[in-house]
C-alpha cells in the first residue's frame, strides 16, 4: 500500500506532529504491505520548516489554495488511502473549516484519527467535526469515552468507530543508569512533561511540595517542556513567570526544576525511566486523549493524575492513582503514601509496564495497517452526493418587470396601489438606495442590461438628496419638491450600504467615482449616528467598501468603533435568556447580527463574531418554528417578557434573515445556514404563518406583508426590492454551494476564538 498522511510533522514542535511521524514510520517499518508513505504537513503562521523527504507538500494553515494543491497531489499520486490527524487549532478557518474541501475532494478511503472531541463544542466545531466523520470511512479514537461522545453528541454510527490506543516508542533505558547520568541517585524524582500552559495545573504540584518535602526532603520535581506556542504567542511567558515566583515564595528552588526544552524521544525516555512518579495535574476533565499519559505508562512509570477523562479510564486496576482537580493537599497525601510504601509503588509500575508493552508503536502501527487493509478489501461504494438544501426550481424566474414599472427618470416610486405605482407618495431615499443595491447585485450576477440602465437613475437620486454637510434628505414629491430637511438615520445607513456595495462592485469608473464622491462626503456623519439600525446599515456599507480597500486603516477604525457601539448595546441589554441588543425585538432585526457578521469578517475580531453568532442564534430561536420563518410582527413587536406580535409581518425582515444566514455561511461554510437561508426565502412564497405567497406571479412584484386579515396586496418598492435582493442572494448561495468552501470564509482566518 501507498499511504498519505495529513497532520503536523517534525521539525515543527507539536505533539500531533510527533504522533504522525511515529505512526507513519511504524506502519512503513512494521506494517505488512505498506511500501511507501507520503506526508502533507501543516505549517503554522507561515513558518518554514526543513522537512524530511517523506513530506511531499506543506500546507500553510490559513492559505486555502494550499489545501487544494494538496488534495490534487494526493489524488494523482496513486495513494491507496489517506490517514488524517484531526486536532482543533491546526487547520485554518473558523473551527478549522478549511480542511473540509480537501477531505471532500479525496478520491480514496479516509481514516481519521481524532485527538480531541469536545463535550460542549461551539456550533461551528460540532458542524465541522460531524462533516469530517461523515466523510471518513473509519474514525480512530483512543478512549472509550471518545466513542460515547461521538455516538451521543455527534451522531456517528458506532460501527464506524475503532478504538486504537495512543502509541508509544519502543524505547527502554535502565533506571539506575539514567539516574546516574542525570545525577539523581540520591533523589526521589517527580516528573511532568509536555507543552506548558495554564490548563496544565503545574501550580497544584508545586503547592503540594512543602508537605511532601517535610517527610521526603530528597524529592525533586522536574517540569520538562516549552511553553505552548499558542500561549507564547498570546501571553508570552506569563505562566512560567508565575510558576517561578510561586517556587521562590515557597522556598522550593532546590526542589523544583523548570526545563524549558522540547527534547527528542530518546532523551525523554531517559527522564521517564529515571522518574519515580509521573504526575499529570490537569485542571479540567475535558481531555479525551493524553499523549504524555500514554508515554508515561509505556515507560512503566507510576502515574498520579487528576481524573480527566483519559486518566480516569486508563488508571484503573491499580495502574495509577487519582486526586481531585486543584487539590494540593490530596496530591501530597497520595505522593507521601506511595513514597512511604515502595512495594505499592513498585506494583503500580509493574502494572503500567505490562500495559505499555501492548501499546508500542510497532503494535499500534500494525493495528492501523490492518484497519486500512480491511477498508480497502470492501467493495468500493460511490461517494455520497452533497445534499442540495437550495432548490432553484422552486424560485420564480427572476424579473425586473415590476421595478421597471415603478421607476421613472427621477428614481423609484416608493409606494404602489396593488401593482400600480402610487405617484401621490413620491420617492424616498430608502428605496432608491435599496434599488441601487439591487441593480448592482443583478448586474454583477446576471449582467442584465436593464440593471445597468437603472443604476445611474438611482445613483443620481441619492446624489440629488445629499445635503452640504453630507447627510441626506429622504422624501421627494412626484413634482420633485423636497419634503424634509434631513432624513432618518436608517435611510442614511441604507444609502451608505448601497454606496459601499457599489464601490466594491462598480461596473465602470464613472459610477465608481460618483459613488465615491457621495460616500466620502457622508463620512463625517458616521460618528454621529445614534440609531442602532442606522449604525448597522452603515457598517455593512463600510464592510463592502473595505473588501476592495483593505488598506484604509481610518475606515477600519470607524468600523470597529461602530461595531463596538452595537456590542455595547448587547452588553447592556442581554441576559442569560435574552441575547439581544434591545429589550425588544422590533423591525429589520436580522440586520443587526448581519452587520456584526460583516464586521467580524473584515476586522477578524472574535469578540464581534461571538456577539454576532449569539444574537443570530437568539433571533433564530424566536423566528424559526416548524421549519418555516415566523417574523416578529410590526404591530406591537416583541417586548421582553410580553407576547410577540404575529401580524404586520414585512418583507424587509425576511430579507434581513436571508442576508444574515448567507453571511454566516460565507463565514463558516456550514451548510446548515444554507438551509436556514432558503427557509427564510420561502417565506415570500408561502412558507409562513398565513401559508400565503407574498410574491405576485402576475405582476412580478411582492406584496407589502400580511395582517390578521390576510395579505396586504399593495406592492411597493421596499417589499419588491426586499424580495429581489433575497432572490439574488439565494442564487448566489446556490452557486457557492457547488464551489469549494475555500472560497468562503477567506477573511475570517484570524478570528480570535475562545476554543484554542
Amino acid at each position: 500500500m501507498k499511504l498519505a498522511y495529513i497532520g503536523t510533522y517534525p521539525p515543527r514542535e507539536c505533539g500531533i506532529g510527533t504522533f504522525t511521524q511515529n505512526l507513519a514510520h511504524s506502519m512503513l517499518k512494521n506494517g505488512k504491505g505498506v511500501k511507501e508513505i507520503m506526508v502533507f504537513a501543516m505549517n503554522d503562521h507561515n513558518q518554514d520548516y526543513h522537512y524530511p523527504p517523506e513530506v511531499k507538500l506543506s500546507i500553510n494553515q490559513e492559505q486555502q489554495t494550499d489545501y487544494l494543491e494538496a488534495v490534487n497531489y494526493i489524488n494523482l499520486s496513486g495513494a491507496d488511502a489517506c490517514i488524517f490527524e484531526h486536532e482543533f487549532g491546526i487547520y485554518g478557518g473558523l473551527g478549522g473549516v478549511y480542511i473540509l474541501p480537501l477531505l471532500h475532494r479525496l478520491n480514496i478511503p479516509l481514516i481519521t484519527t481524532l485527538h480531541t472531541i469536545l463535550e460542549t463544542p461551539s456550533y461551528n466545531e460540532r458542524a465541522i467535526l460531524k462533516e469530517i466523520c461523515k466523510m471518513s470511512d473509519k474514525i480512530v479514537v483512543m478512549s472509550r469515552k471518545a466513542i460515547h461522545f461521538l455516538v451521543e453528541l455527534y451522531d456517528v454510527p458506532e460501527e464506524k468507530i475503532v478504538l486504537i490506543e495512543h502509541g508509544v516508542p519502543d524505547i527502554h533505558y535502565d533506571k539506575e543508569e539514567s539516574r546516574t547520568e542525570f545525577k539523581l541517585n540520591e533523589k526521589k524524582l517527580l516528573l511532568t512533561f509536555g507543552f506548558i500552559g495554564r490548563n496544565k495545573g503545574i501550580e497544584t504540584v508545586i503547592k503540594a511540595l512543602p508537605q511532601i518535602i517535610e517527610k521526603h526532603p530528597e524529592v525533586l520535581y522536574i517540569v520538562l517542556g516549552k511553553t505552548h506556542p499558542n500561549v507564547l504567542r498570546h501571553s508570552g511567558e506569563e505562566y512560567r513567570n508565575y510558576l517561578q515566583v510561586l517556587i521562590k515564595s515557597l522556598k522550593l528552588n532546590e526542589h523544583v526544576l523548570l526545563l524549558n526544552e522540547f527534547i527528542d524521544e530518546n532523551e525523554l525516555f531517559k527522564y521517564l525511566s529515571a522518574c519515580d512518579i509521573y504526575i499529570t495535574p490537569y485542571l479540567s476533565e475535558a481531555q479525551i486523549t493524553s499523549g504524555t499519559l500514554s508515554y508515561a505508562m509505556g515507560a512503566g512509570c507510576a502515574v498520579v493524575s487528576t481524573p480527566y477523562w483519559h486518566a480516569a479510564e486508563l488508571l484503573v486496576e491499580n495502574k495509577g492513582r487519582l486526586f481531585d482537580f486543584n487539590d494540593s493537599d490530596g496530591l501530597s497525601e497520595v505522593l507521601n503514601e506511595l513514597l512511604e510504601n515502595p512495594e505499592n509503588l513498585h506494583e503500580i509500575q509493574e502494572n503500567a509496564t505490562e500495559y505499555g508493552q501492548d501499546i508500542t508503536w510497532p503494535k499500534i502501527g500494525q493495528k492501523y495497517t490492518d484497519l486500512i487493509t480491511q477498508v480497502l478489501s470492501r467493495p468500493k461504494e460511490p461517494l455520497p452526493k452533497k445534499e442540495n438544501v437550495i432548490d432553484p426550481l422552486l424560485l420564480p424566474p427572476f424579473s425586473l418587470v415590476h421595478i421597471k414599472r415603478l421607476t421613472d427618470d427621477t428614481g423609484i416610486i416608493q409606494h404602489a396601489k396593488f401593482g400600480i405605482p402610487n405617484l401621490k407618495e413620491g420617492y424616498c431615499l430608502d428605496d432608491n438606495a435599496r434599488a441601487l443595491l439591487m441593480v448592482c447585485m443583478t448586474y454583477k450576477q446576471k449582467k442584465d442590461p436593464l440593471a445597468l440602465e437603472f443604476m445611474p437613475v438611482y445613483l443620481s437620486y441619492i446624489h440629488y438628496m445629499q445635503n452640504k454637510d453630507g447627510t441626506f434628505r429622504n422624501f421627494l414629491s412626484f413634482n420633485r419638491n423636497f419634503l424634509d430637511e434631513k432624513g432618518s438615520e436608517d435611510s442614511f445607513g441604507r444609502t451608505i450600504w448601497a454606496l459601499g456595495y457599489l464601490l466594491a462592485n462598480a461596473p465602470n469608473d464613472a459610477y465608481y467615482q460618483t459613488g465615491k464622491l457621495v460616500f466620502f462626503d457622508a463620512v463625517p456623519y458616521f460618528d454621529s449616528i445614534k440609531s442602532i439600525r442606522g449604525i448597522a446599515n452603515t457598517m455593512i456599507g463600510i464592510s463592502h467598501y473595505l473588501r476592495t480597500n483593505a488598506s484604509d486603516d481610518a475606515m477600519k477604525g470607524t468600523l470597529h468603533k461602530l461595531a463596538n457601539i452595537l456590542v455595547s448595546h448587547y452588553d447592556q441589554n442581554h441576559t442569560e435568556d435574552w441575547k439581544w441588543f434591545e429589550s425588544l425585538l422590533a423591525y429589520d432585526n436580522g440586520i443587526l447580527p448581519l452587520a456584526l457578521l460583516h464586521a467580524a469578517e473584515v476586522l477578524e475580531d472574535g469578540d464581534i463574531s461571538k456577539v454576532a453568532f449569539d444574537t443570530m442564534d437568539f433571533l433564530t430561536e424566536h423566528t424559526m418554528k416548524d421549519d418555516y420563518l415566523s417574523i416578529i410582527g410590526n404591530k406591537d413587536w416583541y417586548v421582553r417578557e410580553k407576547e410577540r406580535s404575529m401580524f404586520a409581518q414585512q418583507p424587509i425582515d425576511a430579507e434581513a434573515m436571508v442576508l444574515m444566514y448567507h453571511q454566516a455561511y460565507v463565514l463558516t461554510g456550514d451548510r446548515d445556514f444554507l438551509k436556514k437561508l432558503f427557509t427564510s426565502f420561502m417565506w415570500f412564497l408561502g412558507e409562513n404563518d398565513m401559508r400565503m405567497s407574498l410574491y405576485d406571479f402576475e405582476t412580478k412584484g411582492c406584496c407589502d406583508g400580511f395582517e390578521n386579515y390576510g395579505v396586504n396586496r399593495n406592492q411597493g418598492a421596499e417589499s419588491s426590492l426586499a424580495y429581489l435582493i433575497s432572490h439574488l442572494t439565494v442564487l448566489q448561495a446556490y452557486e457557492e454551494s457547488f464551489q469549494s468552501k475555500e472560497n468562503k470564509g477567506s477573511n475570517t482566518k484570524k478570528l480570535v476564538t475562545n476554543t484554542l
Side-chain angles (χ1 to χ4, degrees):
M1 292 183 291
K2 184 177 184 180
L3 301 178
Y5 298 80
I6 301 172
T8 56
Y9 208 74
R12 178 175 173 179
E13 296 175 350
C14 172
I16 305 299
T18 303
F19 181 97
T20 306
Q21 184 181 56
N22 282 328
L23 176 61
H25 281 271
S26 68
M27 295 178 73
L28 181 63
K29 293 177 181 178
N30 304 290
K32 297 176 182 178
V34 178
K35 66 176 182 179
E36 185 179 347
I37 60 174
M38 303 180 300
V39 177
F40 298 83
M42 296 301 306
N43 284 357
D44 59 329
H45 301 278
N46 296 315
Q47 296 291 321
D48 289 324
Y49 298 102
H50 297 291
Y51 288 114
E54 63 265 26
V55 176
K56 305 304 179 185
L57 206 65
S58 61
I59 303 171
N60 289 310
Q61 181 174 337
E62 306 297 348
Q63 186 63 45
Q64 292 173 301
T65 54
D66 285 6
Y67 293 82
L68 292 184
E69 290 179 13
V71 72
N72 288 338
Y73 191 116
I74 294 170
N75 285 337
L76 294 172
S77 68
D80 295 289
C82 179
I83 298 178
F84 168 55
E85 306 300 329
H86 181 264
E87 172 68 274
F88 289 102
I90 65 176
Y91 299 101
L94 191 62
V97 70
Y98 290 179
I99 194 63
L100 295 185
L102 186 160
L103 301 180
H104 180 60
R105 285 171 167 76
L106 276 177
N107 295 330
I108 56 177
L110 174 66
I111 288 82
T112 297
T113 305
L114 299 179
H115 292 263
T116 296
I117 303 171
L118 302 174
E119 184 180 24
T120 55
S122 69
Y123 184 93
N124 292 301
E125 288 164 343
R126 184 173 186 270
I128 289 167
L129 194 60
K130 286 184 70 172
E131 189 69 20
I132 290 171
C133 292
K134 287 178 184 177
M135 291 186 282
S136 301
D137 292 81
K138 288 290 183 181
I139 302 154
V140 177
V141 297
M142 305 176 206
S143 67
R144 292 177 179 83
K145 188 82 169 180
I147 298 175
H148 172 74
F149 280 178
L150 287 180
V151 172
E152 298 297 325
L153 304 180
Y154 296 88
D155 306 319
V156 179
E158 189 167 355
E159 60 270 17
K160 205 174 194 180
I161 308 168
V162 180
L163 174 61
I164 302 178
E165 293 89 341
H166 194 298
V168 300
D170 195 11
I171 301 173
H172 304 281
Y173 288 99
D174 181 79
K175 188 179 189 69
E176 295 307 318
E177 289 181 2
S178 298
R179 293 174 68 85
T180 299
E181 180 178 342
F182 293 133
K183 298 181 174 57
L184 297 172
N185 298 87
E186 305 301 322
K187 298 291 185 180
K188 293 291 186 182
L189 178 59
L190 312 180
L191 179 67
T192 296
F193 86 89
F195 282 119
I196 304 303
R198 278 274 180 191
N199 62 327
K200 299 299 184 180
I202 306 299
E203 65 275 15
T204 305
V205 185
I206 294 173
K207 292 175 182 178
L209 286 176
Q211 298 180 60
I212 299 167
I213 293 168
E214 185 178 339
K215 296 183 178 181
H216 304 280
E218 72 279 13
V219 161
L220 173 66
Y221 179 43
I222 293 180
V223 180
L224 178 59
K226 284 186 172 183
T227 301
H228 195 285
N230 287 338
V231 175
L232 198 60
R233 195 173 295 119
H234 296 113
S235 305
E237 292 288 9
E238 179 269 337
Y239 181 58
R240 189 178 295 274
N241 293 338
Y242 159 72
L243 294 179
Q244 289 171 336
V245 170
L246 181 62
I247 291 166
K248 184 176 180 180
S249 67
L250 294 176
K251 299 181 174 56
L252 294 173
N253 298 73
E254 300 299 319
H255 296 275
V256 182
L257 183 59
L258 304 180
L259 296 178
N260 192 1
E261 299 179 32
F262 188 91
I263 61 176
D264 64 35
E265 289 183 337
N266 286 299
E267 191 75 1
L268 172 60
F269 269 76
K270 283 184 183 178
Y271 276 99
L272 288 170
S273 66
C275 88
D276 294 279
I277 299 174
Y278 183 80
I279 308 173
T280 53
Y282 302 158
L283 298 180
S284 167
E285 68 173 355
Q287 181 144 346
I288 206 76
T289 301
S290 170
T292 61
L293 175 63
S294 297
Y295 271 38
M297 299 282 287
C301 296
V303 177
V304 174
S305 175
T306 50
Y308 57 89
W309 293 325
H310 196 197
E313 184 174 311
L314 208 57
L315 299 183
V316 295
E317 298 175 348
N318 202 31
K319 292 199 293 287
R321 291 283 193 274
L322 299 174
F323 67 98
D324 287 337
F325 301 104
N326 288 301
D327 186 4
S328 296
D329 292 337
L331 173 59
S332 63
E333 290 178 11
V334 171
L335 292 176
N336 279 329
E337 185 265 326
L338 290 175
L339 291 171
E340 290 164 8
N341 295 278
E343 66 283 358
N344 292 346
L345 185 62
H346 181 70
E347 184 179 351
I348 293 173
Q349 291 169 339
E350 288 292 316
N351 291 336
T353 299
E354 183 179 351
Y355 171 77
Q357 291 172 351
D358 293 329
I359 59 171
T360 59
W361 273 119
K363 295 179 180 179
I364 297 301
Q366 187 61 56
K367 289 184 178 181
Y368 272 86
T369 302
D370 293 342
L371 177 62
I372 293 176
T373 302
Q374 173 194 339
V375 170
L376 293 175
S377 67
R378 298 184 313 198
K380 187 174 180 62
E381 298 179 0
L383 293 174
K385 293 183 178 180
K386 277 283 186 182
E387 175 192 3
N388 278 328
V389 295
I390 294 176
D391 186 357
L393 297 177
L394 295 179
L395 276 64
F398 184 85
S399 173
L400 295 178
V401 167
H402 188 58
I403 299 304
K404 183 178 181 180
R405 189 181 298 125
L406 293 175
T407 300
D408 62 18
D409 59 356
T410 299
I412 192 166
I413 301 295
Q414 63 172 325
H415 291 146
K417 284 295 183 181
F418 298 97
I420 305 302
N422 184 354
L423 304 183
K424 294 179 180 180
E425 301 291 343
Y427 317 86
C428 72
L429 182 70
D430 284 282
D431 291 338
N432 278 274
R434 289 189 181 97
L436 177 61
L437 173 64
M438 186 275 294
V439 292
C440 286
M441 293 174 65
T442 302
Y443 191 75
K444 178 183 177 183
Q445 290 187 42
K446 295 177 171 294
K447 295 296 183 287
D448 188 330
L450 188 59
L452 189 62
E453 179 184 336
F454 286 160
M455 205 175 295
V457 175
Y458 306 136
L459 182 56
S460 66
Y461 180 92
I462 292 170
H463 177 256
Y464 182 63
M465 299 299 282
Q466 189 168 36
N467 295 315
K468 290 183 178 180
D469 64 355
T471 61
F472 298 89
R473 301 171 188 265
N474 192 2
F475 299 108
L476 189 73
S477 70
F478 183 66
N479 59 5
R480 296 186 179 178
N481 290 324
F482 293 124
L483 298 178
D484 58 1
E485 293 296 325
K486 181 179 175 182
S488 67
E489 291 185 345
D490 283 14
S491 65
F492 178 92
R494 291 188 185 105
T495 304
I496 299 305
W497 179 352
L499 291 170
Y501 190 89
L502 171 67
L503 294 181
N505 302 279
N508 58 50
D509 187 66
Y511 296 171
Y512 176 85
Q513 294 299 337
T514 304
K516 183 178 180 181
L517 177 69
V518 179
F519 182 92
F520 278 93
D521 281 348
V523 166
Y525 188 68
F526 287 5
D527 291 336
S528 303
I529 308 172
K530 303 299 181 186
S531 159
I532 61 173
R533 285 166 180 79
I535 289 171
N537 283 286
T538 302
M539 287 170 57
I540 299 169
I542 294 173
S543 298
H544 283 302
Y545 162 78
L546 285 171
R547 287 187 177 93
T548 52
N549 296 272
S551 61
D552 191 337
D553 292 335
M555 195 61 72
K556 280 187 177 179
T558 299
L559 178 60
H560 215 293
K561 181 178 179 181
L562 294 175
N564 286 339
I565 294 174
L566 284 192
V567 171
S568 69
H569 275 269
Y570 174 79
D571 291 339
Q572 293 166 19
N573 288 283
H574 87 278
T575 63
E576 185 176 348
D577 58 357
W578 185 267
K579 296 185 177 181
W580 196 242
F581 307 89
E582 304 172 289
S583 60
L584 78 166
L585 285 168
Y587 66 97
D588 212 4
N589 294 301
I591 220 73
L592 301 173
L594 171 63
L596 292 180
L597 289 168
H598 277 287
E601 180 184 9
V602 172
L603 299 175
E604 302 173 345
D605 189 303
D607 293 334
I608 293 173
S609 176
K610 185 177 188 308
V611 175
F613 280 101
D614 285 349
T615 52
M616 180 181 65
D617 290 343
F618 174 79
L619 185 58
T620 299
E621 178 185 345
H622 287 280
T623 57
M624 284 284 184
K625 66 176 190 179
D626 301 326
D627 294 325
Y628 70 89
L629 180 66
S630 177
I631 291 171
I632 303 298
N634 277 256
K635 184 179 180 182
D636 295 308
W637 296 325
Y638 178 23
V639 179
R640 180 166 51 194
E641 298 179 357
K642 294 186 178 180
E643 292 293 320
R644 56 168 285 182
S645 289
M646 291 298 298
F647 296 106
Q649 294 189 27
Q650 297 185 353
I652 60 166
D653 287 283
E655 172 202 21
M657 299 295 283
V658 169
L659 292 168
M660 178 185 73
Y661 289 128
H662 177 247
Q663 181 61 16
Y665 176 62
V666 168
L667 281 173
T668 65
D670 184 346
R671 295 175 69 85
D672 188 62
F673 291 124
L674 288 180
K675 180 180 178 181
K676 290 184 171 68
L677 178 157
F678 195 58
T679 299
S680 298
F681 176 77
M682 291 302 293
W683 179 90
F684 290 99
L685 301 181
E687 296 296 319
N688 51 50
D689 287 300
M690 294 291 288
R691 289 298 186 264
M692 297 181 69
S693 176
L694 277 293
Y695 180 74
D696 189 324
F697 288 81
E698 293 180 344
T699 66
K700 311 299 189 253
C702 180
C703 299
D704 285 348
F706 56 76
E707 306 286 347
N708 58 352
Y709 59 79
V711 174
N712 177 348
R713 293 290 307 283
N714 293 332
Q715 297 167 25
E718 177 184 287
S719 303
S720 296
L721 290 166
Y723 167 80
L724 290 171
I725 290 170
S726 300
H727 189 136
L728 290 165
T729 303
V730 170
L731 293 178
Q732 181 181 345
Y734 178 71
E735 293 172 3
E736 291 168 347
S737 71
F738 281 90
Q739 300 168 3
S740 57
K741 292 175 191 167
E742 76 279 357
N743 292 325
K744 293 179 278 293
S746 59
N747 292 319
T748 62
K749 56 191 177 183
K750 295 180 182 177
L751 283 180
V752 180
T753 66
N754 296 323
T755 61
L756 298 182

